[in-house]
Amino acid sequence: MSVQHMISIPFILGGLFFFIAATVGLLRFPDFFCRLHATGKGDTMAVLLSLVGLSIYEGFSLTSLKIIFIAVFMFLAQPTSTHAISRAALRCGLQPWTREKG
Amino acid sequence: MDNFFLLLGMALFTLVLLCLYRGVFGPGVLNRMAGICAIGTKTLVILLLMGFIYNRVEMFIDISMVYAFLNFVGTITAAKYLEIKGEA
Amino acid sequence: MTRVTDDIIIRAVARILIPFIQLYALYVIMHGHHSPGGGFQGGVIMGASFILYLLTHGLEEAKTRMSEIRAGVFSSFGLLVYSGIGLLCLILGSNYLDYGKLSTVLKVIPAQARSLGILGVEIGVGIAVMAVMFSIFFDISTGGILPEDEEDLGARDG
């Protein structure tokens, strides 16, 4: 196992941690906006970390360049799609959850 | 290293199943959409891991990229549809 | 579905991402030989980029880039490229879409002529699929009624 692989493992495990955190948030949070809050940020960070780790594992080549391109694309696209869904929900008249209402 | 990727893929697969709960039972269309969107990002990473396991990364990376594009376009389309139509 | 979205974030991000998606679609068409993809898949990605443009920038602006007439012309042109290459092979004295004989026209060895022939066919398929994808979405989202027609109908009813 080379140094390159040793560096890539913490990145990928960090990505897995954020994936788990996002999924727990998606399952456990009380309402739609809270769930989107968890997946929107958690999944973006997780994809970013996992793809950077995989590109380090791959080494310098066209493939790793494409992996970095996917990471940049997801970094732009994931928050935008989250924004679009939450905006649609707000336009539909979904009320955000508050503690008082229960 | 292959075993590490295999275990990682199995962990992500379990997470996809958990997200599928939100996709199937989540109250309302919007919760289902959030679940499906979360599944899409996990699938992207699983595809890349499959490429590393089979030693065909240059092939799987293209599929993964197309998946990312179409996931984005699909989510924007569904969001705009719901925004105009109102929640069903 | 055909109105302009009044959200500047979605519009700005779509404007940044669409050129890259189209470039990637061209890459998928060109690399159909030795990676997954080819004419159909590249055409679908290209069509998806136009659909994203129509969704985010509205019907009026999308019609300046890709109108219904242009979609029809492109789909026919793609089919013409595909069947034209096939018929050229037939005229040169081999089977339909048997690219080996193209070597006499292109002045290269038969193996390379086969590669170029497949590339030409895939470009044709890609153009046709792109135009048909866009045209299907256009028809479904407008319901076959364009805004100017709607005004006409309203005037007639009133």
Side-chain angles (χ1 to χ4, degrees):
Chain A
M1 189 181 283
S2 63
V3 181
Q4 203 179 339
H5 295 183
M6 299 285 274
I7 298 170
S8 74
I9 287 175
F11 277 98
I12 299 173
L13 286 180
L16 183 65
F17 168 74
F18 277 101
F19 268 132
I20 292 171
T23 309
V24 170
L26 181 72
L27 289 176
R28 292 282 299 152
F29 273 160
D31 105 306
F32 172 71
F33 291 108
C34 301
R35 285 169 195 151
L36 215 59
H37 170 75
T39 57
K41 287 186 259 298
D43 270 358
T44 311
M45 190 68 197
V47 167
L48 212 64
L49 280 178
S50 337
L51 292 187
V52 167
L54 286 175
S55 73
I56 290 172
Y57 175 81
E58 171 69 19
F60 188 75
S61 66
L62 181 65
T63 309
S64 70
L65 204 69
K66 277 190 208 166
I67 297 177
I68 292 294
F69 179 72
I70 296 183
V72 172
F73 178 84
M74 288 308 285
F75 190 68
L76 280 173
Q78 187 73 26
T80 310
S81 51
T82 307
H83 170 80
I85 306 176
S86 62
R87 194 164 168 280
L90 207 61
R91 287 284 172 90
C92 287
L94 198 69
Q95 290 297 321
W97 177 86
T98 50
R99 194 178 289 278
E100 284 77 35
K101 278 186 288 184
Chain B
M1 205 66 188
D2 269 6
N3 280 329
F4 172 66
F5 283 146
L6 199 63
L7 283 174
L8 206 66
M10 282 161 72
L12 283 175
F13 178 71
T14 317
L15 290 180
V16 164
L17 281 183
L18 289 175
C19 285
L20 201 62
Y21 170 79
R22 194 50 79 198
V24 174
F25 296 109
V29 182
L30 289 162
N31 277 312
R32 293 197 171 95
M33 247 168 73
I36 298 300
C37 192
I39 288 177
T41 54
K42 287 173 184 59
T43 311
L44 191 135
V45 179
I46 290 177
L47 276 172
L48 273 180
L49 289 175
M50 272 171 72
F52 277 103
I53 291 167
Y54 290 138
N55 282 322
R56 300 284 305 274
V57 195
E58 69 282 353
M59 196 180 104
F60 278 86
I61 183 99
D62 288 345
I63 308 172
S64 173
M65 208 183 284
V66 173
Y67 205 89
F69 288 156
L70 295 184
N71 197 22
F72 173 61
V73 177
T75 312
I76 295 281
T77 312
K80 189 161 185 191
Y81 177 74
L82 287 176
E83 192 178 324
I84 290 169
K85 190 170 165 286
E87 192 183 359
Chain C
M1 292 296 271
T2 52
R3 275 183 289 157
V4 191
T5 157
D6 54 347
D7 191 278
I8 195 164
I9 295 174
I10 299 174
R11 255 185 295 153
V13 171
R15 205 170 59 223
I16 294 167
L17 289 181
I18 284 171
F20 291 103
I21 296 179
Q22 288 181 340
L23 203 63
Y24 185 68
L26 292 179
Y27 165 81
V28 168
I29 294 178
M30 287 299 170
H31 272 247
H33 309 73
H34 31 72
S35 68
F40 186 84
Q41 289 84 349
V44 166
I45 300 170
M46 193 67 128
S49 78
F50 279 113
I51 288 173
L52 186 61
Y53 191 85
L54 174 62
L55 278 171
T56 52
H57 286 72
L59 188 64
E60 289 303 315
E61 215 174 320
K63 264 159 72 178
T64 61
R65 315 276 164 160
M66 176 66 101
S67 62
E68 214 173 5
I69 297 170
R70 261 182 230 174
V73 169
F74 270 127
S75 59
S76 311
F77 178 72
L79 193 61
L80 186 71
V81 169
Y82 177 85
S83 57
I85 290 174
L87 282 177
L88 192 62
C89 301
L90 205 61
I91 290 167
L92 289 173
S94 62
N95 286 326
Y96 190 72
L97 288 179
D98 185 5
Y99 314 105
K101 283 278 181 182
L102 284 176
S103 56
T104 54
V105 183
L106 297 168
K107 304 212 168 26
V108 287
I109 55 169
Q112 204 175 356
R114 283 204 177 85
S115 169
L116 288 172
I118 291 173
L119 184 62
V121 163
E122 274 181 352
I123 287 172
V125 172
I127 291 172
V129 168
M130 181 263 289
V132 169
M133 275 274 294
F134 183 78
S135 138
I136 289 173
F137 183 81
F138 195 90
D139 287 344
I140 291 176
S141 63
T142 57
I145 298 169
L146 298 178
E148 56 260 28
D149 297 340
E150 222 162 31
E151 282 165 19
D152 288 350
L153 288 175
R156 210 177 301 153
D157 289 342

Tab-separated table of all heavy atoms in Angstrom, chain C residues 47-103:
chain	number	residue	atom	x	y	z
C	47	GLY	N	-30.015	16.597	-25.933
C	47	GLY	CA	-31.417	16.983	-25.813
C	47	GLY	C	-31.740	17.440	-24.408
C	47	GLY	O	-32.489	18.404	-24.216
C	48	ALA	N	-31.154	16.776	-23.376
C	48	ALA	CA	-31.410	17.168	-21.989
C	48	ALA	C	-30.896	18.575	-21.731
C	48	ALA	O	-31.524	19.335	-20.989
C	48	ALA	CB	-30.750	16.186	-21.035
C	49	SER	N	-29.776	18.936	-22.365
C	49	SER	CA	-29.272	20.289	-22.151
C	49	SER	C	-30.232	21.319	-22.734
C	49	SER	O	-30.478	22.365	-22.126
C	49	SER	CB	-27.884	20.433	-22.762
C	49	SER	OG	-27.980	20.586	-24.149
C	50	PHE	N	-30.813	21.022	-23.917
C	50	PHE	CA	-31.785	21.965	-24.481
C	50	PHE	C	-33.045	22.035	-23.623
C	50	PHE	O	-33.652	23.102	-23.474
C	50	PHE	CB	-32.132	21.576	-25.917
C	50	PHE	CG	-31.113	22.034	-26.906
C	50	PHE	CD1	-30.333	21.132	-27.585
C	50	PHE	CD2	-30.919	23.381	-27.140
C	50	PHE	CE1	-29.385	21.553	-28.481
C	50	PHE	CE2	-29.972	23.809	-28.029
C	50	PHE	CZ	-29.204	22.898	-28.707
C	51	ILE	N	-33.450	20.873	-23.062
C	51	ILE	CA	-34.632	20.864	-22.193
C	51	ILE	C	-34.373	21.717	-20.956
C	51	ILE	O	-35.231	22.486	-20.518
C	51	ILE	CB	-34.986	19.413	-21.803
C	51	ILE	CG1	-35.561	18.685	-23.001
C	51	ILE	CG2	-35.974	19.388	-20.664
C	51	ILE	CD1	-35.771	17.229	-22.779
C	52	LEU	N	-33.144	21.611	-20.423
C	52	LEU	CA	-32.796	22.437	-19.253
C	52	LEU	C	-32.858	23.912	-19.617
C	52	LEU	O	-33.349	24.740	-18.839
C	52	LEU	CB	-31.390	22.065	-18.773
C	52	LEU	CG	-30.906	22.714	-17.494
C	52	LEU	CD1	-31.814	22.339	-16.357
C	52	LEU	CD2	-29.502	22.298	-17.183
C	53	TYR	N	-32.419	24.248	-20.825
C	53	TYR	CA	-32.479	25.645	-21.261
C	53	TYR	C	-33.923	26.112	-21.360
C	53	TYR	O	-34.267	27.210	-20.906
C	53	TYR	CB	-31.774	25.799	-22.610
C	53	TYR	CG	-31.557	27.226	-22.987
C	53	TYR	CD1	-30.441	27.904	-22.516
C	53	TYR	CD2	-32.454	27.908	-23.772
C	53	TYR	CE1	-30.246	29.219	-22.820
C	53	TYR	CE2	-32.262	29.231	-24.082
C	53	TYR	CZ	-31.154	29.884	-23.605
C	53	TYR	OH	-30.972	31.187	-23.897
C	54	LEU	N	-34.774	25.256	-21.937
C	54	LEU	CA	-36.195	25.627	-22.080
C	54	LEU	C	-36.847	25.800	-20.712
C	54	LEU	O	-37.653	26.703	-20.505
C	54	LEU	CB	-36.920	24.556	-22.897
C	54	LEU	CG	-38.431	24.684	-23.030
C	54	LEU	CD1	-38.788	25.974	-23.733
C	54	LEU	CD2	-38.997	23.526	-23.802
C	55	LEU	N	-36.477	24.937	-19.753
C	55	LEU	CA	-37.086	25.021	-18.428
C	55	LEU	C	-36.693	26.288	-17.713
C	55	LEU	O	-37.506	26.909	-17.038
C	55	LEU	CB	-36.631	23.831	-17.583
C	55	LEU	CG	-37.355	22.529	-17.762
C	55	LEU	CD1	-36.617	21.462	-17.009
C	55	LEU	CD2	-38.739	22.660	-17.223
C	56	THR	N	-35.418	26.661	-17.836
C	56	THR	CA	-34.940	27.760	-17.006
C	56	THR	C	-35.119	29.112	-17.682
C	56	THR	O	-35.333	30.099	-16.999
C	56	THR	CB	-33.458	27.559	-16.665
C	56	THR	OG1	-32.741	27.326	-17.862
C	56	THR	CG2	-33.293	26.403	-15.738
C	57	HIS	N	-35.021	29.180	-19.004
C	57	HIS	CA	-35.047	30.476	-19.669
C	57	HIS	C	-36.361	30.768	-20.365
C	57	HIS	O	-36.498	31.813	-20.992
C	57	HIS	CB	-33.893	30.575	-20.664
C	57	HIS	CG	-32.576	30.758	-19.996
C	57	HIS	ND1	-31.952	29.751	-19.307
C	57	HIS	CD2	-31.766	31.827	-19.883
C	57	HIS	CE1	-30.829	30.200	-18.815
C	57	HIS	NE2	-30.682	31.448	-19.153
C	58	GLY	N	-37.299	29.824	-20.318
C	58	GLY	CA	-38.616	30.109	-20.868
C	58	GLY	C	-38.707	29.856	-22.358
C	58	GLY	O	-37.717	29.674	-23.055
C	59	LEU	N	-39.949	29.868	-22.835
C	59	LEU	CA	-40.213	29.479	-24.222
C	59	LEU	C	-39.683	30.505	-25.211
C	59	LEU	O	-39.092	30.147	-26.234
C	59	LEU	CB	-41.719	29.301	-24.393
C	59	LEU	CG	-42.190	28.725	-25.714
C	59	LEU	CD1	-41.667	27.326	-25.864
C	59	LEU	CD2	-43.697	28.720	-25.760
C	60	GLU	N	-39.838	31.794	-24.892
C	60	GLU	CA	-39.492	32.832	-25.859
C	60	GLU	C	-38.019	32.791	-26.204
C	60	GLU	O	-37.620	32.855	-27.364
C	60	GLU	CB	-39.870	34.202	-25.282
C	60	GLU	CG	-41.355	34.456	-25.213
C	60	GLU	CD	-42.010	34.321	-26.577
C	60	GLU	OE1	-41.449	34.859	-27.546
C	60	GLU	OE2	-43.061	33.677	-26.666
C	61	GLU	N	-37.179	32.667	-25.137
C	61	GLU	CA	-35.754	32.688	-25.383
C	61	GLU	C	-35.284	31.364	-25.972
C	61	GLU	O	-34.345	31.324	-26.759
C	61	GLU	CB	-35.021	32.993	-24.082
C	61	GLU	CG	-33.775	33.817	-24.292
C	61	GLU	CD	-33.168	34.229	-22.970
C	61	GLU	OE1	-33.936	34.565	-22.056
C	61	GLU	OE2	-31.937	34.199	-22.863
C	62	ALA	N	-35.936	30.264	-25.576
C	62	ALA	CA	-35.529	28.961	-26.105
C	62	ALA	C	-35.838	28.859	-27.587
C	62	ALA	O	-35.144	28.165	-28.325
C	62	ALA	CB	-36.230	27.841	-25.340
C	63	LYS	N	-36.889	29.563	-28.028
C	63	LYS	CA	-37.243	29.475	-29.446
C	63	LYS	C	-36.204	30.132	-30.330
C	63	LYS	O	-36.087	29.809	-31.516
C	63	LYS	CB	-38.616	30.102	-29.685
C	63	LYS	CG	-39.715	29.045	-29.696
C	63	LYS	CD	-41.068	29.601	-29.420
C	63	LYS	CE	-41.636	30.403	-30.547
C	63	LYS	NZ	-42.996	30.879	-30.211
C	64	THR	N	-35.424	31.089	-29.773
C	64	THR	CA	-34.356	31.682	-30.581
C	64	THR	C	-33.196	30.711	-30.760
C	64	THR	O	-32.432	30.824	-31.703
C	64	THR	CB	-33.838	32.961	-29.913
C	64	THR	OG1	-33.303	32.608	-28.636
C	64	THR	CG2	-34.941	33.967	-29.721
C	65	ARG	N	-33.037	29.742	-29.832
C	65	ARG	CA	-31.940	28.762	-29.969
C	65	ARG	C	-32.395	27.535	-30.744
C	65	ARG	O	-31.682	27.015	-31.582
C	65	ARG	CB	-31.440	28.302	-28.595
C	65	ARG	CG	-31.236	29.386	-27.626
C	65	ARG	CD	-29.897	30.006	-27.805
C	65	ARG	NE	-29.870	31.296	-27.116
C	65	ARG	CZ	-28.765	31.903	-26.761
C	65	ARG	NH1	-27.608	31.366	-27.027
C	65	ARG	NH2	-28.808	33.055	-26.160
C	66	MET	N	-33.570	27.019	-30.364
C	66	MET	CA	-34.030	25.762	-30.958
C	66	MET	C	-35.541	25.829	-31.055
C	66	MET	O	-36.241	25.643	-30.072
C	66	MET	CB	-33.579	24.588	-30.078
C	66	MET	CG	-34.072	23.236	-30.519
C	66	MET	SD	-33.395	22.753	-32.062
C	66	MET	CE	-32.137	21.653	-31.529
C	67	SER	N	-36.054	26.150	-32.234
C	67	SER	CA	-37.494	26.253	-32.381
C	67	SER	C	-38.058	24.923	-32.832
C	67	SER	O	-37.325	23.957	-33.053
C	67	SER	CB	-37.839	27.346	-33.389
C	67	SER	OG	-37.315	27.002	-34.641
C	68	GLU	N	-39.377	24.853	-32.959
C	68	GLU	CA	-40.016	23.605	-33.359
C	68	GLU	C	-39.625	23.259	-34.800
C	68	GLU	O	-39.385	22.102	-35.139
C	68	GLU	CB	-41.524	23.767	-33.227
C	68	GLU	CG	-42.225	22.504	-32.822
C	68	GLU	CD	-43.675	22.764	-32.532
C	68	GLU	OE1	-44.133	23.905	-32.749
C	68	GLU	OE2	-44.352	21.831	-32.104
C	69	ILE	N	-39.550	24.296	-35.645
C	69	ILE	CA	-39.187	24.059	-37.049
C	69	ILE	C	-37.765	23.546	-37.140
C	69	ILE	O	-37.469	22.590	-37.854
C	69	ILE	CB	-39.347	25.365	-37.844
C	69	ILE	CG1	-40.801	25.799	-37.838
C	69	ILE	CG2	-38.839	25.201	-39.254
C	69	ILE	CD1	-41.010	27.187	-38.383
C	70	ARG	N	-36.862	24.174	-36.356
C	70	ARG	CA	-35.475	23.730	-36.394
C	70	ARG	C	-35.349	22.296	-35.892
C	70	ARG	O	-34.549	21.519	-36.416
C	70	ARG	CB	-34.610	24.651	-35.535
C	70	ARG	CG	-33.890	25.672	-36.360
C	70	ARG	CD	-33.011	26.512	-35.471
C	70	ARG	NE	-33.251	27.921	-35.725
C	70	ARG	CZ	-32.710	28.895	-35.019
C	70	ARG	NH1	-31.924	28.609	-34.004
C	70	ARG	NH2	-32.953	30.133	-35.314
C	71	ALA	N	-36.127	21.954	-34.856
C	71	ALA	CA	-36.084	20.579	-34.350
C	71	ALA	C	-36.510	19.596	-35.437
C	71	ALA	O	-35.889	18.546	-35.622
C	71	ALA	CB	-36.982	20.444	-33.122
C	72	GLY	N	-37.561	19.969	-36.191
C	72	GLY	CA	-37.991	19.095	-37.276
C	72	GLY	C	-36.934	18.954	-38.350
C	72	GLY	O	-36.654	17.843	-38.831
C	73	VAL	N	-36.302	20.084	-38.709
C	73	VAL	CA	-35.263	20.033	-39.746
C	73	VAL	C	-34.086	19.188	-39.284
C	73	VAL	O	-33.558	18.362	-40.040
C	73	VAL	CB	-34.804	21.470	-40.088
C	73	VAL	CG1	-33.567	21.429	-40.954
C	73	VAL	CG2	-35.904	22.224	-40.783
C	74	PHE	N	-33.691	19.350	-37.996
C	74	PHE	CA	-32.545	18.592	-37.489
C	74	PHE	C	-32.837	17.100	-37.451
C	74	PHE	O	-31.977	16.289	-37.783
C	74	PHE	CB	-32.170	19.074	-36.089
C	74	PHE	CG	-31.177	20.186	-36.088
C	74	PHE	CD1	-31.428	21.359	-35.405
C	74	PHE	CD2	-29.985	20.072	-36.779
C	74	PHE	CE1	-30.522	22.393	-35.406
C	74	PHE	CE2	-29.069	21.096	-36.776
C	74	PHE	CZ	-29.340	22.263	-36.096
C	75	SER	N	-34.075	16.743	-37.039
C	75	SER	CA	-34.364	15.303	-36.956
C	75	SER	C	-34.341	14.690	-38.350
C	75	SER	O	-33.816	13.587	-38.546
C	75	SER	CB	-35.705	15.068	-36.274
C	75	SER	OG	-36.736	15.701	-36.982
C	76	SER	N	-34.861	15.410	-39.352
C	76	SER	CA	-34.817	14.878	-40.717
C	76	SER	C	-33.387	14.824	-41.226
C	76	SER	O	-32.991	13.868	-41.903
C	76	SER	CB	-35.644	15.760	-41.637
C	76	SER	OG	-36.886	16.003	-41.088
C	77	PHE	N	-32.580	15.847	-40.864
C	77	PHE	CA	-31.195	15.877	-41.331
C	77	PHE	C	-30.390	14.720	-40.748
C	77	PHE	O	-29.582	14.096	-41.448
C	77	PHE	CB	-30.562	17.210	-40.944
C	77	PHE	CG	-29.128	17.337	-41.323
C	77	PHE	CD1	-28.760	17.484	-42.645
C	77	PHE	CD2	-28.133	17.293	-40.363
C	77	PHE	CE1	-27.443	17.592	-42.997
C	77	PHE	CE2	-26.812	17.399	-40.705
C	77	PHE	CZ	-26.468	17.550	-42.031
C	78	GLY	N	-30.628	14.412	-39.456
C	78	GLY	CA	-29.926	13.285	-38.846
C	78	GLY	C	-30.261	11.979	-39.541
C	78	GLY	O	-29.389	11.155	-39.820
C	79	LEU	N	-31.551	11.803	-39.834
C	79	LEU	CA	-31.968	10.589	-40.537
C	79	LEU	C	-31.347	10.536	-41.928
C	79	LEU	O	-30.941	9.473	-42.409
C	79	LEU	CB	-33.492	10.568	-40.632
C	79	LEU	CG	-34.103	9.241	-41.055
C	79	LEU	CD1	-33.742	8.194	-40.038
C	79	LEU	CD2	-35.595	9.364	-41.168
C	80	LEU	N	-31.234	11.722	-42.567
C	80	LEU	CA	-30.627	11.788	-43.905
C	80	LEU	C	-29.165	11.370	-43.860
C	80	LEU	O	-28.701	10.625	-44.732
C	80	LEU	CB	-30.771	13.206	-44.450
C	80	LEU	CG	-30.328	13.411	-45.891
C	80	LEU	CD1	-31.318	12.739	-46.809
C	80	LEU	CD2	-30.215	14.872	-46.221
C	81	VAL	N	-28.436	11.835	-42.827
C	81	VAL	CA	-27.022	11.455	-42.704
C	81	VAL	C	-26.905	9.951	-42.545
C	81	VAL	O	-26.104	9.290	-43.215
C	81	VAL	CB	-26.373	12.186	-41.512
C	81	VAL	CG1	-25.009	11.616	-41.209
C	81	VAL	CG2	-26.266	13.660	-41.787
C	82	TYR	N	-27.745	9.397	-41.636
C	82	TYR	CA	-27.689	7.952	-41.375
C	82	TYR	C	-27.984	7.163	-42.635
C	82	TYR	O	-27.190	6.328	-43.079
C	82	TYR	CB	-28.718	7.627	-40.281
C	82	TYR	CG	-28.830	6.175	-39.957
C	82	TYR	CD1	-27.969	5.593	-39.044
C	82	TYR	CD2	-29.808	5.383	-40.541
C	82	TYR	CE1	-28.074	4.271	-38.741
C	82	TYR	CE2	-29.919	4.063	-40.241
C	82	TYR	CZ	-29.051	3.509	-39.343
C	82	TYR	OH	-29.150	2.195	-39.047
C	83	SER	N	-29.140	7.457	-43.264
C	83	SER	CA	-29.524	6.645	-44.425
C	83	SER	C	-28.662	6.979	-45.620
C	83	SER	O	-28.443	6.123	-46.493
C	83	SER	CB	-30.993	6.862	-44.750
C	83	SER	OG	-31.230	8.223	-44.971
C	84	GLY	N	-28.123	8.218	-45.690
C	84	GLY	CA	-27.262	8.573	-46.801
C	84	GLY	C	-25.984	7.763	-46.794
C	84	GLY	O	-25.540	7.265	-47.842
C	85	ILE	N	-25.372	7.599	-45.600
C	85	ILE	CA	-24.154	6.786	-45.525
C	85	ILE	C	-24.477	5.339	-45.879
C	85	ILE	O	-23.721	4.672	-46.606
C	85	ILE	CB	-23.526	6.906	-44.123
C	85	ILE	CG1	-22.956	8.310	-43.945
C	85	ILE	CG2	-22.428	5.884	-43.932
C	85	ILE	CD1	-22.454	8.594	-42.561
C	86	GLY	N	-25.644	4.862	-45.380
C	86	GLY	CA	-26.031	3.494	-45.718
C	86	GLY	C	-26.226	3.315	-47.213
C	86	GLY	O	-25.746	2.332	-47.808
C	87	LEU	N	-26.909	4.279	-47.848
C	87	LEU	CA	-27.163	4.164	-49.286
C	87	LEU	C	-25.888	4.319	-50.097
C	87	LEU	O	-25.743	3.708	-51.163
C	87	LEU	CB	-28.179	5.221	-49.713
C	87	LEU	CG	-29.628	4.894	-49.373
C	87	LEU	CD1	-30.515	6.043	-49.783
C	87	LEU	CD2	-30.057	3.631	-50.087
C	88	LEU	N	-24.947	5.138	-49.587
C	88	LEU	CA	-23.668	5.296	-50.289
C	88	LEU	C	-22.942	3.964	-50.357
C	88	LEU	O	-22.380	3.600	-51.396
C	88	LEU	CB	-22.828	6.337	-49.546
C	88	LEU	CG	-21.596	6.855	-50.273
C	88	LEU	CD1	-22.016	7.555	-51.550
C	88	LEU	CD2	-20.833	7.815	-49.386
C	89	CYS	N	-22.996	3.208	-49.236
C	89	CYS	CA	-22.404	1.869	-49.237
C	89	CYS	C	-23.106	0.976	-50.259
C	89	CYS	O	-22.467	0.207	-50.985
C	89	CYS	CB	-22.508	1.236	-47.859
C	89	CYS	SG	-21.718	2.166	-46.571
C	90	LEU	N	-24.451	1.118	-50.335
C	90	LEU	CA	-25.221	0.293	-51.264
C	90	LEU	C	-24.855	0.633	-52.697
C	90	LEU	O	-24.688	-0.266	-53.539
C	90	LEU	CB	-26.712	0.559	-51.014
C	90	LEU	CG	-27.708	-0.529	-51.391
C	90	LEU	CD1	-27.407	-1.764	-50.593
C	90	LEU	CD2	-29.108	-0.048	-51.102
C	91	ILE	N	-24.676	1.944	-52.981
C	91	ILE	CA	-24.345	2.378	-54.339
C	91	ILE	C	-22.962	1.888	-54.734
C	91	ILE	O	-22.716	1.492	-55.873
C	91	ILE	CB	-24.432	3.917	-54.426
C	91	ILE	CG1	-25.892	4.359	-54.321
C	91	ILE	CG2	-23.835	4.442	-55.723
C	91	ILE	CD1	-26.058	5.828	-54.088
C	92	LEU	N	-22.020	1.886	-53.753
C	92	LEU	CA	-20.655	1.470	-54.057
C	92	LEU	C	-20.545	-0.036	-54.239
C	92	LEU	O	-19.451	-0.541	-54.486
C	92	LEU	CB	-19.708	1.942	-52.957
C	92	LEU	CG	-19.479	3.452	-52.933
C	92	LEU	CD1	-18.677	3.837	-51.712
C	92	LEU	CD2	-18.754	3.897	-54.184
C	93	GLY	N	-21.623	-0.783	-54.053
C	93	GLY	CA	-21.596	-2.185	-54.402
C	93	GLY	C	-21.457	-3.161	-53.261
C	93	GLY	O	-21.073	-4.304	-53.460
C	94	SER	N	-21.762	-2.734	-52.021
C	94	SER	CA	-21.751	-3.698	-50.912
C	94	SER	C	-23.107	-3.634	-50.218
C	94	SER	O	-24.034	-3.024	-50.728
C	94	SER	CB	-20.620	-3.375	-49.938
C	94	SER	OG	-20.823	-2.102	-49.386
C	95	ASN	N	-23.223	-4.256	-49.049
C	95	ASN	CA	-24.502	-4.259	-48.344
C	95	ASN	C	-24.795	-2.906	-47.735
C	95	ASN	O	-23.925	-2.049	-47.638
C	95	ASN	CB	-24.484	-5.317	-47.232
C	95	ASN	CG	-24.587	-6.700	-47.810
C	95	ASN	OD1	-25.250	-6.899	-48.823
C	95	ASN	ND2	-23.902	-7.639	-47.182
C	96	TYR	N	-26.067	-2.734	-47.285
C	96	TYR	CA	-26.467	-1.510	-46.596
C	96	TYR	C	-25.684	-1.378	-45.298
C	96	TYR	O	-25.598	-2.323	-44.513
C	96	TYR	CB	-27.962	-1.575	-46.320
C	96	TYR	CG	-28.563	-0.285	-45.825
C	96	TYR	CD1	-28.723	0.792	-46.673
C	96	TYR	CD2	-28.963	-0.167	-44.514
C	96	TYR	CE1	-29.271	1.965	-46.230
C	96	TYR	CE2	-29.516	0.999	-44.053
C	96	TYR	CZ	-29.673	2.073	-44.917
C	96	TYR	OH	-30.217	3.225	-44.463
C	97	LEU	N	-25.063	-0.203	-45.091
C	97	LEU	CA	-24.250	0.079	-43.902
C	97	LEU	C	-23.046	-0.855	-43.763
C	97	LEU	O	-22.581	-1.111	-42.652
C	97	LEU	CB	-25.089	0.015	-42.621
C	97	LEU	CG	-26.079	1.156	-42.395
C	97	LEU	CD1	-26.835	0.931	-41.114
C	97	LEU	CD2	-25.405	2.478	-42.370
C	98	ASP	N	-22.530	-1.366	-44.874
C	98	ASP	CA	-21.278	-2.141	-44.842
C	98	ASP	C	-20.158	-1.186	-45.255
C	98	ASP	O	-19.952	-0.933	-46.430
C	98	ASP	CB	-21.392	-3.326	-45.812
C	98	ASP	CG	-20.180	-4.222	-45.709
C	98	ASP	OD1	-19.336	-3.968	-44.836
C	98	ASP	OD2	-20.078	-5.167	-46.504
C	99	TYR	N	-19.457	-0.653	-44.218
C	99	TYR	CA	-18.613	0.515	-44.480
C	99	TYR	C	-17.323	0.207	-45.230
C	99	TYR	O	-16.598	1.117	-45.582
C	99	TYR	CB	-18.235	1.201	-43.164
C	99	TYR	CG	-19.391	1.389	-42.224
C	99	TYR	CD1	-19.519	0.582	-41.101
C	99	TYR	CD2	-20.347	2.347	-42.465
C	99	TYR	CE1	-20.587	0.749	-40.241
C	99	TYR	CE2	-21.406	2.509	-41.613
C	99	TYR	CZ	-21.526	1.712	-40.509
C	99	TYR	OH	-22.563	1.868	-39.659
C	100	GLY	N	-17.007	-1.056	-45.425
C	100	GLY	CA	-15.725	-1.401	-46.027
C	100	GLY	C	-15.505	-0.740	-47.375
C	100	GLY	O	-14.389	-0.287	-47.697
C	101	LYS	N	-16.570	-0.650	-48.164
C	101	LYS	CA	-16.424	-0.100	-49.515
C	101	LYS	C	-16.186	1.400	-49.526
C	101	LYS	O	-15.808	1.962	-50.544
C	101	LYS	CB	-17.697	-0.404	-50.323
C	101	LYS	CG	-17.778	-1.832	-50.810
C	101	LYS	CD	-16.960	-1.998	-52.075
C	101	LYS	CE	-17.106	-3.438	-52.538
C	101	LYS	NZ	-16.329	-3.726	-53.725
C	102	LEU	N	-16.437	2.048	-48.380
C	102	LEU	CA	-16.232	3.493	-48.337
C	102	LEU	C	-14.762	3.856	-48.539
C	102	LEU	O	-14.445	5.010	-48.795
C	102	LEU	CB	-16.714	4.055	-46.992
C	102	LEU	CG	-18.222	4.199	-46.801
C	102	LEU	CD1	-18.510	4.677	-45.396
C	102	LEU	CD2	-18.794	5.178	-47.790
C	103	SER	N	-13.864	2.870	-48.404
C	103	SER	CA	-12.437	3.156	-48.533
C	103	SER	C	-12.102	3.704	-49.913
C	103	SER	O	-11.163	4.477	-50.069
C	103	SER	CB	-11.635	1.886	-48.258
C	103	SER	OG	-12.080	0.878	-49.134
